[in-house]
Amino acid sequence: MTFTKEIIENVKGKSVKLLRNSEIRAFIENLGIVFIFRFTSAVLSVIGLVLAARYLGAVSVGNVTLIQNTAYLLYIPMCFGINISVIKFLPDCKNEEETEILLGSIGVWSLVLTVISVIIYGLFHPAINKALGFSGIQLLLTVIMAVTINYSMITEAILRSRKQFLTLGIIKMVSSLIFFTFTLISSLVLKNYLYFVYGLIINQFVAIIWSLKTINIKKFRFSMDISKRAYKYGAINMVSGALSYIMFNSDLYIVNHFCSDYDVGIYSLYQVNVKNFFNLMFHEIFAVVFLPTIVRMDTMKIYKRIKSLIPIMLPIAIIANMALSIFMLLLYGRDYKINWIYILLISVSLGFHFLYYVFNSVFTVEGKKGALLCMNVLGLPMPVLILISIVLTRAWGITGELISLLITQLTLVGVFLFIIKFKYLKNIKTHIKY
């Protein structure tokens, strides 16, 4: 039997074994439902980005990317990691009253945290504008987008916990159609990137309103004990989320500091937007079904199974990211030349980024211990990795930043495997053979 046939037979054997598991079959079925709608939304997003690149130019794309990425930073204290708490605790609610108490408590504190955050951003707006090079309207739109992202995350988490994947898919697709309409207006008619941002905000707003109508909570109750439990767990995930943001989004600000506005746009088209599309496919399709499916399953069994599939998953992820990068660059038009070094570095780094996200997802929903593990994986090497990013970008520009991203992904996957094997497993009774 040839080496190729051995690989094919091995994949077939693993596939048959996995499909015998009823939970995995249900996961694949739900994944298929979500994929149909979310992939359609993703395609619309890509077309919107292509139009922006062709008709608005690289500088405008860079501005949109900076606003969007900053909004995802500003939403963190508003959300406080409570979307993960919803996925963790909502399935455990035994009746409608417990559900109303949990969601009512979250609703109250979410409003309070959002108002406080907006006030703080308003007070410190001169410093924020100076640091980011934003105008007043850019920061205002960034804060509004942060608010819509916050409530979109929370309402989506509720629907995911209830496994209403079909409804969620329809909501996302319709809101994406609205965004696409604004993209056409901004790119072809008004030639102003701000309308692209308006479309992103309205996209989220429509999803929030529709989700709230679907959730249909009859009565909101409040409990301080439930609030403490949910937000204590959320706080751990908030810190982890903040570290994750710094680790995976500081690159754009580093490039913005050392390079020109045009370079920021080119970097956005090559790396940031390809990464965002990858993240959309992972978080909006795979994780939407994956997290609710594994929340009550044995963490180490899942980890062991995923680890055994790395030789298959990693090459597929790298090849898929390479194909995506080339395809998107071809769509941008002749003004954007293909840089094969950029594509290779991005594809390999995003392949390992996929492995990191899978491991992170498995342990995030396990509980406090798993959340702390994920936080340590990010926090321990982060200062050194960001320093490497700064040094390499200052020396070699975009190429240096892409090299540092590959170093980052390799390091994070390595740290994950190391901590799980030599620290995490020593603190549990489950025995796993390696």
Short mmCIF file of all heavy atoms in Angstrom, two decimals, residues 314-368:
data_model
loop_
_atom_site.label_atom_id
_atom_site.label_comp_id
_atom_site.label_asym_id
_atom_site.label_seq_id
_atom_site.Cartn_x
_atom_site.Cartn_y
_atom_site.Cartn_z
N LEU A 314 -3.93 20.61 10.29
CA LEU A 314 -2.97 21.69 10.03
C LEU A 314 -2.71 21.91 8.54
O LEU A 314 -2.82 23.05 8.06
CB LEU A 314 -1.66 21.43 10.78
CG LEU A 314 -0.59 22.52 10.65
CD1 LEU A 314 -1.12 23.85 11.14
CD2 LEU A 314 0.67 22.12 11.43
N PRO A 315 -2.38 20.86 7.77
CA PRO A 315 -2.17 21.08 6.33
C PRO A 315 -3.41 21.62 5.62
O PRO A 315 -3.31 22.48 4.74
CB PRO A 315 -1.79 19.69 5.80
CG PRO A 315 -1.30 18.94 6.98
CD PRO A 315 -2.09 19.45 8.14
N ILE A 316 -4.59 21.10 6.01
CA ILE A 316 -5.83 21.58 5.39
C ILE A 316 -6.03 23.06 5.69
O ILE A 316 -6.40 23.84 4.80
CB ILE A 316 -7.03 20.75 5.90
CG1 ILE A 316 -6.95 19.32 5.37
CG2 ILE A 316 -8.35 21.40 5.47
CD1 ILE A 316 -8.03 18.40 5.91
N ALA A 317 -5.78 23.47 6.93
CA ALA A 317 -5.95 24.87 7.32
C ALA A 317 -4.98 25.77 6.56
O ALA A 317 -5.36 26.86 6.09
CB ALA A 317 -5.74 25.02 8.83
N ILE A 318 -3.73 25.33 6.41
CA ILE A 318 -2.73 26.14 5.69
C ILE A 318 -3.11 26.29 4.22
O ILE A 318 -3.08 27.40 3.67
CB ILE A 318 -1.33 25.50 5.83
CG1 ILE A 318 -0.85 25.61 7.29
CG2 ILE A 318 -0.33 26.20 4.90
CD1 ILE A 318 0.45 24.87 7.56
N ILE A 319 -3.47 25.20 3.59
CA ILE A 319 -3.84 25.24 2.17
C ILE A 319 -5.10 26.09 1.95
O ILE A 319 -5.19 26.88 1.01
CB ILE A 319 -4.06 23.81 1.64
CG1 ILE A 319 -2.74 23.04 1.63
CG2 ILE A 319 -4.66 23.84 0.23
CD1 ILE A 319 -2.89 21.56 1.34
N ALA A 320 -6.07 25.94 2.85
CA ALA A 320 -7.31 26.73 2.73
C ALA A 320 -7.02 28.22 2.86
O ALA A 320 -7.57 29.04 2.11
CB ALA A 320 -8.31 26.28 3.80
N ASN A 321 -6.17 28.59 3.82
CA ASN A 321 -5.83 30.00 4.00
C ASN A 321 -5.04 30.55 2.82
O ASN A 321 -5.22 31.71 2.42
CB ASN A 321 -5.02 30.18 5.29
CG ASN A 321 -5.89 30.08 6.54
OD1 ASN A 321 -6.93 30.71 6.61
ND2 ASN A 321 -5.47 29.29 7.50
N MET A 322 -4.17 29.73 2.24
CA MET A 322 -3.42 30.16 1.06
C MET A 322 -4.37 30.41 -0.11
O MET A 322 -4.25 31.42 -0.82
CB MET A 322 -2.38 29.11 0.71
CG MET A 322 -1.44 29.53 -0.42
SD MET A 322 -0.10 28.34 -0.68
CE MET A 322 0.83 28.56 0.84
N ALA A 323 -5.29 29.48 -0.32
CA ALA A 323 -6.26 29.65 -1.41
C ALA A 323 -7.11 30.89 -1.20
O ALA A 323 -7.39 31.65 -2.14
CB ALA A 323 -7.14 28.40 -1.50
N LEU A 324 -7.53 31.11 0.06
CA LEU A 324 -8.35 32.28 0.38
C LEU A 324 -7.58 33.57 0.12
O LEU A 324 -8.12 34.52 -0.47
CB LEU A 324 -8.78 32.22 1.85
CG LEU A 324 -9.49 33.44 2.41
CD1 LEU A 324 -10.81 33.67 1.69
CD2 LEU A 324 -9.73 33.28 3.91
N SER A 325 -6.31 33.61 0.54
CA SER A 325 -5.49 34.81 0.36
C SER A 325 -5.32 35.15 -1.11
O SER A 325 -5.51 36.31 -1.52
CB SER A 325 -4.11 34.61 1.00
OG SER A 325 -4.21 34.38 2.38
N ILE A 326 -4.99 34.15 -1.92
CA ILE A 326 -4.78 34.37 -3.36
C ILE A 326 -6.09 34.81 -4.02
O ILE A 326 -6.12 35.76 -4.83
CB ILE A 326 -4.24 33.10 -4.02
CG1 ILE A 326 -2.85 32.76 -3.48
CG2 ILE A 326 -4.18 33.26 -5.54
CD1 ILE A 326 -2.33 31.41 -3.91
N PHE A 327 -7.17 34.14 -3.68
CA PHE A 327 -8.47 34.45 -4.27
C PHE A 327 -8.89 35.88 -3.98
O PHE A 327 -9.32 36.62 -4.88
CB PHE A 327 -9.52 33.47 -3.74
CG PHE A 327 -10.92 33.73 -4.23
CD1 PHE A 327 -11.25 33.49 -5.56
CD2 PHE A 327 -11.90 34.21 -3.36
CE1 PHE A 327 -12.54 33.74 -6.03
CE2 PHE A 327 -13.18 34.45 -3.82
CZ PHE A 327 -13.50 34.21 -5.15
N MET A 328 -8.74 36.31 -2.72
CA MET A 328 -9.15 37.66 -2.35
C MET A 328 -8.28 38.70 -3.03
O MET A 328 -8.77 39.74 -3.49
CB MET A 328 -9.11 37.81 -0.84
CG MET A 328 -10.19 36.99 -0.12
SD MET A 328 -10.22 37.21 1.67
CE MET A 328 -10.80 38.89 1.81
N LEU A 329 -6.96 38.44 -3.12
CA LEU A 329 -6.08 39.41 -3.76
C LEU A 329 -6.37 39.56 -5.24
O LEU A 329 -6.29 40.67 -5.81
CB LEU A 329 -4.62 38.99 -3.55
CG LEU A 329 -4.08 39.27 -2.14
CD1 LEU A 329 -2.78 38.52 -1.90
CD2 LEU A 329 -3.86 40.77 -1.95
N LEU A 330 -6.73 38.47 -5.89
CA LEU A 330 -7.11 38.54 -7.30
C LEU A 330 -8.38 39.37 -7.48
O LEU A 330 -8.52 40.10 -8.47
CB LEU A 330 -7.30 37.13 -7.86
CG LEU A 330 -6.03 36.29 -8.04
CD1 LEU A 330 -6.39 34.87 -8.47
CD2 LEU A 330 -5.09 36.92 -9.05
N LEU A 331 -9.29 39.26 -6.52
CA LEU A 331 -10.53 40.02 -6.61
C LEU A 331 -10.31 41.52 -6.39
O LEU A 331 -11.07 42.34 -6.92
CB LEU A 331 -11.54 39.51 -5.56
CG LEU A 331 -12.15 38.12 -5.81
CD1 LEU A 331 -13.06 37.75 -4.65
CD2 LEU A 331 -12.93 38.09 -7.12
N TYR A 332 -9.28 41.88 -5.62
CA TYR A 332 -9.04 43.30 -5.34
C TYR A 332 -8.70 44.10 -6.60
O TYR A 332 -8.91 45.30 -6.64
CB TYR A 332 -7.90 43.46 -4.33
CG TYR A 332 -8.21 42.93 -2.95
CD1 TYR A 332 -7.20 42.43 -2.14
CD2 TYR A 332 -9.51 42.92 -2.45
CE1 TYR A 332 -7.47 41.94 -0.87
CE2 TYR A 332 -9.79 42.43 -1.20
CZ TYR A 332 -8.77 41.93 -0.41
OH TYR A 332 -9.04 41.44 0.85
N GLY A 333 -8.16 43.42 -7.60
CA GLY A 333 -7.85 44.11 -8.85
C GLY A 333 -6.37 44.23 -9.13
O GLY A 333 -5.52 43.86 -8.31
N ARG A 334 -6.04 44.77 -10.29
CA ARG A 334 -4.64 44.85 -10.74
C ARG A 334 -3.79 45.82 -9.94
O ARG A 334 -2.57 45.78 -10.01
CB ARG A 334 -4.61 45.24 -12.22
CG ARG A 334 -5.24 44.20 -13.15
CD ARG A 334 -5.21 44.67 -14.59
NE ARG A 334 -5.81 43.67 -15.48
CZ ARG A 334 -5.94 43.83 -16.79
NH1 ARG A 334 -5.52 44.96 -17.36
NH2 ARG A 334 -6.50 42.88 -17.52
N ASP A 335 -4.44 46.72 -9.23
CA ASP A 335 -3.68 47.69 -8.44
C ASP A 335 -2.95 47.04 -7.26
O ASP A 335 -2.07 47.66 -6.67
CB ASP A 335 -4.61 48.79 -7.91
CG ASP A 335 -5.15 49.67 -9.03
OD1 ASP A 335 -4.51 49.70 -10.10
OD2 ASP A 335 -6.20 50.29 -8.83
N TYR A 336 -3.34 45.82 -6.93
CA TYR A 336 -2.75 45.13 -5.78
C TYR A 336 -2.01 43.88 -6.26
O TYR A 336 -2.62 42.89 -6.62
CB TYR A 336 -3.84 44.75 -4.77
CG TYR A 336 -4.66 45.93 -4.32
CD1 TYR A 336 -5.88 46.22 -4.94
CD2 TYR A 336 -4.23 46.76 -3.30
CE1 TYR A 336 -6.64 47.31 -4.55
CE2 TYR A 336 -4.97 47.85 -2.90
CZ TYR A 336 -6.17 48.13 -3.53
OH TYR A 336 -6.92 49.21 -3.14
N LYS A 337 -0.68 43.95 -6.29
CA LYS A 337 0.15 42.84 -6.77
C LYS A 337 0.28 41.77 -5.70
O LYS A 337 0.29 42.05 -4.51
CB LYS A 337 1.53 43.35 -7.17
CG LYS A 337 1.50 44.32 -8.36
CD LYS A 337 2.90 44.77 -8.72
CE LYS A 337 2.86 45.73 -9.91
NZ LYS A 337 4.22 46.20 -10.29
N ILE A 338 0.40 40.53 -6.16
CA ILE A 338 0.54 39.39 -5.24
C ILE A 338 1.97 39.30 -4.74
O ILE A 338 2.92 39.24 -5.53
CB ILE A 338 0.13 38.07 -5.92
CG1 ILE A 338 -1.36 38.07 -6.26
CG2 ILE A 338 0.47 36.88 -5.03
CD1 ILE A 338 -1.83 36.82 -6.97
N ASN A 339 2.14 39.31 -3.44
CA ASN A 339 3.45 39.11 -2.81
C ASN A 339 3.44 37.71 -2.20
O ASN A 339 2.79 37.46 -1.19
CB ASN A 339 3.69 40.18 -1.73
CG ASN A 339 5.09 40.12 -1.17
OD1 ASN A 339 5.60 39.05 -0.84
ND2 ASN A 339 5.73 41.27 -1.05
N TRP A 340 4.18 36.79 -2.84
CA TRP A 340 4.12 35.38 -2.43
C TRP A 340 4.71 35.14 -1.05
O TRP A 340 4.28 34.22 -0.34
CB TRP A 340 4.81 34.51 -3.47
CG TRP A 340 4.09 34.51 -4.79
CD1 TRP A 340 4.43 35.18 -5.92
CD2 TRP A 340 2.85 33.84 -5.07
NE1 TRP A 340 3.50 34.97 -6.91
CE2 TRP A 340 2.51 34.15 -6.43
CE3 TRP A 340 2.00 33.02 -4.34
CZ2 TRP A 340 1.38 33.66 -7.04
CZ3 TRP A 340 0.86 32.53 -4.95
CH2 TRP A 340 0.55 32.84 -6.28
N ILE A 341 5.67 35.96 -0.64
CA ILE A 341 6.24 35.82 0.72
C ILE A 341 5.17 36.16 1.75
O ILE A 341 5.01 35.46 2.76
CB ILE A 341 7.47 36.73 0.88
CG1 ILE A 341 8.60 36.27 -0.04
CG2 ILE A 341 7.95 36.73 2.34
CD1 ILE A 341 9.82 37.16 -0.01
N TYR A 342 4.42 37.25 1.49
CA TYR A 342 3.33 37.61 2.41
C TYR A 342 2.31 36.46 2.51
O TYR A 342 1.88 36.10 3.61
CB TYR A 342 2.60 38.86 1.90
CG TYR A 342 3.37 40.16 1.98
CD1 TYR A 342 4.66 40.21 2.51
CD2 TYR A 342 2.79 41.34 1.54
CE1 TYR A 342 5.35 41.41 2.58
CE2 TYR A 342 3.48 42.55 1.61
CZ TYR A 342 4.76 42.57 2.13
OH TYR A 342 5.42 43.77 2.19
N ILE A 343 1.93 35.92 1.36
CA ILE A 343 0.91 34.87 1.35
C ILE A 343 1.37 33.64 2.11
O ILE A 343 0.60 33.04 2.88
CB ILE A 343 0.53 34.51 -0.11
CG1 ILE A 343 -0.25 35.66 -0.74
CG2 ILE A 343 -0.29 33.22 -0.16
CD1 ILE A 343 -0.56 35.46 -2.20
N LEU A 344 2.63 33.24 1.90
CA LEU A 344 3.15 32.06 2.59
C LEU A 344 3.18 32.27 4.11
O LEU A 344 2.73 31.40 4.88
CB LEU A 344 4.56 31.75 2.08
CG LEU A 344 5.25 30.53 2.71
CD1 LEU A 344 4.45 29.25 2.44
CD2 LEU A 344 6.68 30.41 2.21
N LEU A 345 3.67 33.41 4.54
CA LEU A 345 3.75 33.70 5.98
C LEU A 345 2.36 33.75 6.61
O LEU A 345 2.13 33.21 7.71
CB LEU A 345 4.49 35.03 6.21
CG LEU A 345 6.00 35.03 5.91
CD1 LEU A 345 6.55 36.45 5.96
CD2 LEU A 345 6.74 34.15 6.91
N ILE A 346 1.42 34.40 5.93
CA ILE A 346 0.05 34.52 6.44
C ILE A 346 -0.62 33.15 6.52
O ILE A 346 -1.26 32.81 7.52
CB ILE A 346 -0.77 35.48 5.56
CG1 ILE A 346 -0.28 36.91 5.72
CG2 ILE A 346 -2.26 35.38 5.89
CD1 ILE A 346 -0.82 37.86 4.68
N SER A 347 -0.46 32.35 5.48
CA SER A 347 -1.14 31.05 5.41
C SER A 347 -0.67 30.10 6.50
O SER A 347 -1.48 29.46 7.17
CB SER A 347 -0.93 30.41 4.04
OG SER A 347 -1.39 31.25 3.01
N VAL A 348 0.64 30.04 6.70
CA VAL A 348 1.18 29.14 7.73
C VAL A 348 0.81 29.63 9.12
O VAL A 348 0.41 28.85 9.99
CB VAL A 348 2.71 29.01 7.59
CG1 VAL A 348 3.28 28.13 8.72
CG2 VAL A 348 3.08 28.40 6.25
N SER A 349 0.92 30.94 9.36
CA SER A 349 0.59 31.47 10.69
C SER A 349 -0.88 31.28 11.02
O SER A 349 -1.24 30.93 12.16
CB SER A 349 0.97 32.96 10.78
OG SER A 349 0.19 33.74 9.90
N LEU A 350 -1.78 31.46 10.04
CA LEU A 350 -3.21 31.26 10.29
C LEU A 350 -3.55 29.78 10.46
O LEU A 350 -4.51 29.43 11.15
CB LEU A 350 -4.04 31.85 9.16
CG LEU A 350 -4.18 33.38 9.15
CD1 LEU A 350 -5.01 33.83 7.96
CD2 LEU A 350 -4.81 33.87 10.45
N GLY A 351 -2.74 28.90 9.85
CA GLY A 351 -2.93 27.47 10.08
C GLY A 351 -2.72 27.11 11.54
O GLY A 351 -3.53 26.41 12.15
N PHE A 352 -1.62 27.62 12.12
CA PHE A 352 -1.36 27.39 13.54
C PHE A 352 -2.32 28.19 14.42
O PHE A 352 -2.64 27.77 15.54
CB PHE A 352 0.09 27.74 13.88
CG PHE A 352 1.07 26.69 13.45
CD1 PHE A 352 1.71 26.77 12.23
CD2 PHE A 352 1.34 25.61 14.28
CE1 PHE A 352 2.61 25.79 11.83
CE2 PHE A 352 2.23 24.62 13.89
CZ PHE A 352 2.87 24.71 12.67
N HIS A 353 -2.79 29.33 13.91
CA HIS A 353 -3.79 30.13 14.62
C HIS A 353 -5.08 29.32 14.79
O HIS A 353 -5.74 29.39 15.84
CB HIS A 353 -4.07 31.39 13.81
CG HIS A 353 -4.91 32.41 14.51
ND1 HIS A 353 -4.58 32.93 15.74
CD2 HIS A 353 -6.07 33.03 14.15
CE1 HIS A 353 -5.49 33.81 16.11
NE2 HIS A 353 -6.41 33.88 15.17
N PHE A 354 -5.43 28.54 13.77
CA PHE A 354 -6.60 27.67 13.86
C PHE A 354 -6.45 26.65 14.98
O PHE A 354 -7.37 26.44 15.77
CB PHE A 354 -6.81 26.96 12.52
CG PHE A 354 -7.86 25.87 12.56
CD1 PHE A 354 -9.20 26.20 12.63
CD2 PHE A 354 -7.51 24.53 12.54
CE1 PHE A 354 -10.18 25.21 12.68
CE2 PHE A 354 -8.47 23.54 12.57
CZ PHE A 354 -9.81 23.88 12.65
N LEU A 355 -5.27 26.02 15.07
CA LEU A 355 -5.04 25.05 16.15
C LEU A 355 -5.16 25.71 17.51
O LEU A 355 -5.77 25.15 18.44
CB LEU A 355 -3.64 24.43 16.01
CG LEU A 355 -3.39 23.51 14.82
CD1 LEU A 355 -1.97 22.96 14.88
CD2 LEU A 355 -4.41 22.38 14.79
N TYR A 356 -4.59 26.89 17.64
CA TYR A 356 -4.68 27.61 18.92
C TYR A 356 -6.13 27.88 19.28
O TYR A 356 -6.54 27.65 20.43
CB TYR A 356 -3.91 28.93 18.84
CG TYR A 356 -4.28 29.86 19.97
CD1 TYR A 356 -3.76 29.67 21.24
CD2 TYR A 356 -5.20 30.89 19.77
CE1 TYR A 356 -4.14 30.50 22.30
CE2 TYR A 356 -5.58 31.72 20.81
CZ TYR A 356 -5.05 31.51 22.07
OH TYR A 356 -5.44 32.32 23.11
N TYR A 357 -6.93 28.35 18.33
CA TYR A 357 -8.32 28.67 18.62
C TYR A 357 -9.13 27.43 19.01
O TYR A 357 -10.02 27.50 19.86
CB TYR A 357 -8.97 29.36 17.42
CG TYR A 357 -8.97 30.85 17.50
CD1 TYR A 357 -8.92 31.64 16.34
CD2 TYR A 357 -9.03 31.52 18.72
CE1 TYR A 357 -8.92 33.03 16.41
CE2 TYR A 357 -9.02 32.88 18.79
CZ TYR A 357 -8.97 33.64 17.63
OH TYR A 357 -8.98 35.01 17.70
N VAL A 358 -8.84 26.30 18.37
CA VAL A 358 -9.54 25.07 18.73
C VAL A 358 -9.23 24.68 20.17
O VAL A 358 -10.13 24.39 20.96
CB VAL A 358 -9.19 23.91 17.76
CG1 VAL A 358 -9.79 22.60 18.26
CG2 VAL A 358 -9.70 24.21 16.36
N PHE A 359 -7.95 24.67 20.53
CA PHE A 359 -7.56 24.35 21.91
C PHE A 359 -8.18 25.34 22.89
O PHE A 359 -8.70 24.96 23.94
CB PHE A 359 -6.02 24.39 22.06
CG PHE A 359 -5.31 23.25 21.40
CD1 PHE A 359 -4.08 23.44 20.80
CD2 PHE A 359 -5.87 21.98 21.37
CE1 PHE A 359 -3.41 22.39 20.19
CE2 PHE A 359 -5.21 20.92 20.76
CZ PHE A 359 -3.98 21.13 20.17
N ASN A 360 -8.12 26.61 22.55
CA ASN A 360 -8.66 27.66 23.42
C ASN A 360 -10.16 27.48 23.64
O ASN A 360 -10.65 27.63 24.76
CB ASN A 360 -8.38 29.03 22.81
CG ASN A 360 -8.78 30.16 23.72
OD1 ASN A 360 -8.10 30.48 24.69
ND2 ASN A 360 -9.89 30.80 23.41
N SER A 361 -10.89 27.13 22.57
CA SER A 361 -12.33 26.94 22.67
C SER A 361 -12.68 25.77 23.59
O SER A 361 -13.62 25.84 24.38
CB SER A 361 -12.93 26.69 21.28
OG SER A 361 -12.72 27.79 20.44
N VAL A 362 -11.90 24.69 23.49
CA VAL A 362 -12.16 23.50 24.29
C VAL A 362 -12.06 23.81 25.78
O VAL A 362 -12.92 23.43 26.59
CB VAL A 362 -11.19 22.37 23.92
CG1 VAL A 362 -11.28 21.22 24.93
CG2 VAL A 362 -11.48 21.85 22.52
N PHE A 363 -11.01 24.55 26.17
CA PHE A 363 -10.76 24.77 27.60
C PHE A 363 -11.49 25.99 28.14
O PHE A 363 -11.72 26.09 29.35
CB PHE A 363 -9.26 24.89 27.86
CG PHE A 363 -8.54 23.57 27.74
CD1 PHE A 363 -7.95 23.19 26.55
CD2 PHE A 363 -8.49 22.70 28.81
CE1 PHE A 363 -7.31 21.97 26.43
CE2 PHE A 363 -7.85 21.47 28.71
CZ PHE A 363 -7.26 21.10 27.51
N THR A 364 -11.89 26.93 27.26
CA THR A 364 -12.60 28.13 27.72
C THR A 364 -13.92 27.77 28.39
O THR A 364 -14.28 28.35 29.43
CB THR A 364 -12.86 29.08 26.54
OG1 THR A 364 -11.61 29.56 26.05
CG2 THR A 364 -13.71 30.26 26.97
N VAL A 365 -14.68 26.83 27.79
CA VAL A 365 -16.00 26.51 28.32
C VAL A 365 -15.95 25.45 29.43
O VAL A 365 -16.99 25.07 29.97
CB VAL A 365 -16.96 26.02 27.21
CG1 VAL A 365 -17.18 27.11 26.19
CG2 VAL A 365 -16.40 24.77 26.53
N GLU A 366 -14.74 24.97 29.78
CA GLU A 366 -14.65 23.94 30.81
C GLU A 366 -15.01 24.49 32.19
O GLU A 366 -15.59 23.80 33.02
CB GLU A 366 -13.24 23.35 30.84
CG GLU A 366 -13.10 22.20 31.81
CD GLU A 366 -11.66 22.00 32.26
OE1 GLU A 366 -10.88 22.94 32.16
OE2 GLU A 366 -11.35 20.91 32.74
N GLY A 367 -14.64 25.73 32.45
CA GLY A 367 -14.86 26.31 33.76
C GLY A 367 -13.71 27.22 34.14
O GLY A 367 -12.90 27.61 33.29
N LYS A 368 -13.64 27.56 35.41
CA LYS A 368 -12.63 28.50 35.88
C LYS A 368 -11.22 28.01 35.60
O LYS A 368 -10.35 28.77 35.16
CB LYS A 368 -12.81 28.72 37.39
CG LYS A 368 -11.82 29.72 37.99
CD LYS A 368 -12.08 29.90 39.48
CE LYS A 368 -11.06 30.86 40.08
NZ LYS A 368 -11.29 31.05 41.54
#
